[in-house]
Structures are given as C-alpha cells and as structure tokens.
C-alpha cells in the first residue's frame, strides 16, 4: 500500500472515487502478504498488485463494480489447477481481499492518513471486514488521536487501543470483537494495517561499497544514513539522492541515534579504531541486523578485541561477519546484492540456498 499512496492521494484530492483491494489474510504459500493493495481508478488505471498477477484480472473487474456501487466486498481466492480459465492462485496458497470504494465522503480520514505516511508519522488504519458492523467502515488511529468510526462507540474504543499497540511494530493483523468492542467475542472482524516509519539502515564507512549498499538499501525501502569521521569521504555528492550523510565518529553517532528491532547496521569502516568501539555500541542495542566487512583474519582479530572489551558470547553471536551471503561477489554492486540478500533472508527466515535445492512453500506464511 505504501508505494501507491501518493497516487491514491491525488485521486482522493480530485474527488474521484476508486476501488481499493487490500489483502487482509493469507494462508500457505501466498505471493503477497497482508496489506498488499491494488487500486483501480480513473480511465481504468491500475496501481499496485495483490497476487503478482494470478488474480489481478478478476480483482480489476470487482474493484470497478465496487467503485460504482459503493458496497464493499470480501472475497477469497484459493488454489487454481491446470484449468487455464480458473481464477485463483497457482502457488497453492489462499488470499482474502477486502475490496471497497474510497471517496472523500466514505473515508474522510484517507487524505490525512496518506499525508502521515508520506511524512513518516506512524498511523494505523482499522477497517471492518466482516460482521454486523458496516463492512468497509474505517477508523484511522495516531499516537495522539483518531478519526472515523466503525459504527459503535465501544468498538471504536477497543480498536483504538489495539491499533496503538500495533504502531510500534508496523504490523498488519486481524482482530476480533463483539459488536460493541467486547474482547471475548468474535462477531466483528477488523483489519489493522499499521504504517510505521520506514526502517533505518545505518552504513558506517564512506567507501565505494557504502554507496552501493546505500543504493540497494533505499531500493528496499530503508531510510539510509551513511556516517564517517573523514569529511573528505563523507560528502553527499558521493552517495545517491535521499541518503543522509553524516560526518562524525561512528560510535559517537550511533550512541546518540535511536535504533529498534527493524534497524540494519552495516559496518564497512574496515579499521579497528572505528569498528571496534562502533560494534561495542551496536551489539548492545536493538537491531535486526548487524554486519561487518572484512576478511576472516580481520573477523577473528575483531572478535578478540570485542571480547577483551567485555562483549559476551551471546552478544557476539549477533554479529554477521564477514557480512553477506556467499555469492562470489567482487564489485561493490555485487557485494551490495550479497549484503541485501543476507538481510532479506534473516528478516524472513530464508536459508539462502538455491530454490531448486529446497522443497516446500516458496513464500513464508509470516515473518518470524
């Protein structure tokens, strides 16, 4: 959804109704996860995807119908066999979609939600997908406020509390309530879609490899910062547009910077006076990935210095060093692909092995 929101906001501001299909539940080997979205707008323009091509034709027609009628629909697509005319997924999975019409009248908070996402402000959108409450009714929840109603004051109150609980994780989940927000009932199903600020990638060492890693980090959706103590190397013109470049001692900058369990830290300084104090700081704070460049000899010496500095074995076990997967990479761009592959594999629990040598579902059901 995040990537198509700017275009959706333009349609919304122009007062043009459009059909919006959102994945609200998946099972088995579904190609897209909850929150994936596809919109059909003016002149039959299509934005986004919900299945990578398997059911988009059917969803296109349904979104047109819903945009015209205003009546939200809940649909499920499962496995499609060799019948070329069957609508379904060829991967063996199942996805459930909520298809609803969006207009200023039906969803008055949509514009503010889009603006918050663009500004990196956390917001959760709660949408009724099933039950006695109006299907498609939406409520937007921010840390300090909320807008819209799901049809009952008690339901609004319960959903708002749960929505704020999801903001820190940026998670998209289903929740079940009674018609007035009762916690132990399940007559109303609500989809909570959270838009947390983009995760951060912190790259230390303004070398040519850093420029390639920063570029692929931006491509993957990270907010990238490159930090180096040497001003002659840490210049914005050496890095892609949109990448923040900071001149500071790496360990000092990291000590003053917030991280969370989505943060990626790549240490490319390749110099003990920089990377040892930096890794001391990194290994003692939350992060999804901490990787350091260097040869195996450099890695062994680095471990010894970190152990002497008081880093425990459990903390050292978090360090991915030498960073990246074994792709035989040589150039900075190839090394960046290797690092990105390791980050993605760690995020989703992938093995890093060729798919031809593995069995079972290709797409994990959920993030570990």
């Amino acid at each position: 959804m995040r990537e198509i929101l700017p275009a959706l906001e333009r349609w919304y501001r122009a007062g043009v109704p459009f059909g919006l299909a959102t994945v609200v539940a998946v099972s088995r080997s579904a190609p897209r996860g909850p929150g994936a979205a596809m919109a059909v707008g003016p002149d039959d323009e299509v934005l986004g995807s919900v299945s990578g091509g398997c059911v988009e034709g059917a969803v296109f027609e349904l979104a047109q119908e819903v945009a015209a009628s205003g009546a939200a629909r809940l649909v499920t697509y499962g496995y499609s066999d060799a019948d070329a005319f069957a609508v379904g997924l060829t991967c063996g999975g199942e996805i459930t979609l909520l298809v609803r019409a969006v207009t200023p009248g039906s969803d008055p908070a949509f514009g503010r939600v889009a603006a918050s996402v663009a500004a990196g402000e956390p917001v959760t959108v709660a949408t009724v997908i099933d039950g006695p409450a109006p299907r498609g009714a939406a409520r937007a929840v921010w840390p300090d406020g909320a807008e819209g109603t799901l049809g009952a004051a008690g339901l609004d109150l319960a959903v708002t509390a749960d929505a704020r609980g999801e903001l820190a994780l940026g998670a998209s989940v289903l929740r079940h309530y009674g018609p007035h927000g009762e916690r132990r009932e399940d007559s109303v199903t609500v989809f909570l879609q959270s838009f947390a600020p983009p995760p951060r990638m912190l790259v230390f060492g303004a070398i040519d490899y850093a420029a390639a890693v920063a570029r692929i980090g931006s491509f993957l959706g990270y907010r990238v910062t490159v930090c180096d103590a040497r001003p002659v190397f840490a210049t914005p013109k050496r890095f892609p547009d949109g990448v923040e470049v900071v001149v500071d001692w790496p360990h000092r900058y990291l000590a003053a910077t917030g991280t969370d369990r989505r943060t990626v830290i790549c240490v490319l300084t390749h110099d003990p006076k920089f990377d040892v104090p930096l890794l001391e700081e990194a290994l003692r704070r939350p992060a999804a990935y901490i990787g350091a460049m260097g040869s195996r000899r450099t890695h062994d010496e680095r471990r010894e210095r970190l152990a002497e500095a008081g880093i425990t074995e459990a903390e050292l076990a978090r360090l991915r060093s030498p960073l990246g997967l074994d792709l035989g990479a040589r150039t900075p761009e190839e090394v960046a692909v290797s690092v990105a592959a390791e980050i993605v594999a760690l995020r989703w629990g992938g093995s890093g092995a060729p798919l031809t040598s593995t069995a079972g579902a290709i797409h994990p059901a959920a993030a570990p």
Side-chain angles (χ1 to χ4, degrees):
M1 170 76 86
R2 184 187 296 272
E3 63 273 16
I4 66 174
L5 265 177
L8 299 188
E9 185 180 19
R10 288 194 295 271
W11 292 349
Y12 180 85
R13 296 295 183 195
V16 179
F18 58 89
L20 179 62
T22 304
V23 178
V24 297
V26 302
S27 66
R28 299 188 297 279
S29 184
R32 301 294 305 275
M38 170 180 157
V40 179
D43 301 320
D44 295 337
E45 183 178 357
V46 178
L47 299 171
S49 171
V50 291
S51 74
C54 297
V55 301
E56 266 70 4
V59 175
F60 172 80
E61 295 180 359
L62 183 56
Q64 286 181 313
E65 296 174 8
V66 168
S69 69
R73 296 274 302 277
L74 189 69
V75 294
T76 297
Y77 296 100
Y79 174 68
S80 171
D81 59 17
D83 181 358
F85 297 99
V87 176
L89 305 180
T90 58
C91 59
E94 183 176 276
I95 60 173
T96 299
L97 309 176
L98 174 69
V99 187
R100 64 189 183 98
V102 178
T103 66
S106 68
D107 195 345
F110 188 89
R112 186 181 169 196
V113 168
S116 292
V117 174
E121 300 168 354
V123 58
T124 295
V125 179
T127 310
V128 174
I129 67 169
D130 204 10
R135 176 174 289 163
R139 180 171 175 81
V141 179
W142 290 268
D144 57 354
E147 188 173 339
T149 181
L150 304 182
L155 182 60
D156 287 345
L157 187 64
V159 168
T160 297
D162 288 347
R164 289 202 174 111
E166 301 298 336
L167 278 178
L169 300 177
S172 295
V173 298
L174 292 177
R175 289 284 184 265
H176 303 278
Y177 307 89
H180 299 286
E182 297 88 344
R183 297 285 184 177
R184 297 187 178 183
E185 298 184 26
D186 59 2
S187 60
V188 179
T189 303
V190 178
F191 179 59
L192 301 180
Q193 184 175 11
S194 294
F195 297 93
R200 297 198 66 185
M201 173 182 280
L202 305 177
V203 181
F204 295 96
I207 60 176
D208 49 357
Y209 290 93
V213 171
R215 186 176 299 110
I216 203 166
S218 296
F219 176 76
L220 291 176
Y222 289 93
R223 181 164 66 92
V224 182
T225 298
V226 176
C227 175
D228 197 301
R230 302 165 296 179
V232 68
F233 294 110
T235 61
K237 66 181 181 181
R238 299 186 64 233
F239 295 93
D241 292 341
V243 171
E244 180 187 28
V245 180
V246 174
V247 179
D248 199 352
W249 280 82
H251 71 281
R252 185 169 61 191
Y253 173 77
L254 183 58
T257 301
T259 64
D260 59 31
R261 63 183 190 175
R262 302 182 302 153
T263 303
V264 166
I265 300 174
C266 297
V267 179
L268 312 181
T269 46
H270 211 265
D271 185 332
K273 72 174 178 289
F274 290 126
D275 59 18
V276 171
L278 171 59
L279 287 170
E280 283 186 63
E281 178 67 32
L283 292 170
R284 288 172 171 153
R285 59 168 51 230
Y289 175 91
I290 303 171
M293 177 177 280
S295 66
R296 298 196 186 280
R297 177 178 177 179
T298 298
H299 168 70
D300 292 340
E301 293 174 350
R302 185 188 288 137
R303 281 184 59 95
E304 289 179 8
R305 288 189 173 96
L306 289 170
E308 290 171 358
I311 299 297
T312 67
E313 282 299 319
E315 290 168 336
L316 283 171
R318 301 178 61 204
L319 178 60
R320 318 289 288 195
S321 174
L323 81 176
L325 297 185
D326 180 13
L327 305 182
R330 294 290 186 273
T331 68
E333 291 74 19
E334 290 174 345
V335 170
V337 170
S338 167
V339 173
E342 184 176 41
I343 291 169
V344 172
L346 188 63
R347 176 184 180 186
W348 294 106
S351 66
L355 289 173
T356 54
S357 67
T358 64
I362 294 175
H363 306 287

